[in-house]
Amino acid sequence: EVMAEGLLLASDRVQVLATTHSPDLLNHKAIREEHLLAVTAEGGATVVGRVDAATRSVLRDRLYAAGELLSQGSIEPDPDLVEQNLKQLRLFSDQVE
């Protein structure tokens, strides 16, 4: 609770990025679907993206909390959205690969 409150308070002033495997942190009442990105490894590559539409709906409707879904192994990047964003940006260049 204290960690979540601190992150939320800080996010009023600066951009905050937190990675966690903690269901307790994700179960905080203020965590909503638009706050979440899911991460997985596929074929030796790290894939990051919004969770799928069904999961977003479950979270919006408060049927489950994000931490509960994490504990069930139900949080994955939306494959349809990931496919749309496969271009890799280069860190020190304007080029896209």
Side-chain angles (χ1 to χ4, degrees), residues 7 10 24 43 64 69 81:
L7 292 170
D24 293 331
Y64 287 96
L69 294 176
L81 296 176

Side-chain angles (χ1 to χ4, degrees), residues 48 50 56 78-88:
V48 180
R50 291 186 65 194
R56 291 193 308 270
D78 185 332
D80 295 331
L81 296 176
V82 169
E83 289 294 323
Q84 295 171 14
N85 297 310
L86 283 180
K87 293 181 180 176
Q88 176 64 45

Side-chain angles (χ1 to χ4, degrees), residues 22-43:
S22 169
D24 293 331
L25 181 59
L26 293 176
N27 281 339
H28 190 277
K29 63 186 175 288
I31 301 297
R32 295 185 307 275
E33 57 93 9
E34 63 267 16
H35 295 137
L36 300 176
L37 293 176
V39 180
T40 190
E42 294 179 9

Side-chain angles (χ1 to χ4, degrees), residues 50-65:
R50 291 186 65 194
V51 295
D52 63 43
T55 301
R56 291 193 308 270
S57 177
V58 165
L59 292 169
R60 263 193 311 273
D61 295 342
R62 303 271 186 200
L63 300 175
Y64 287 96

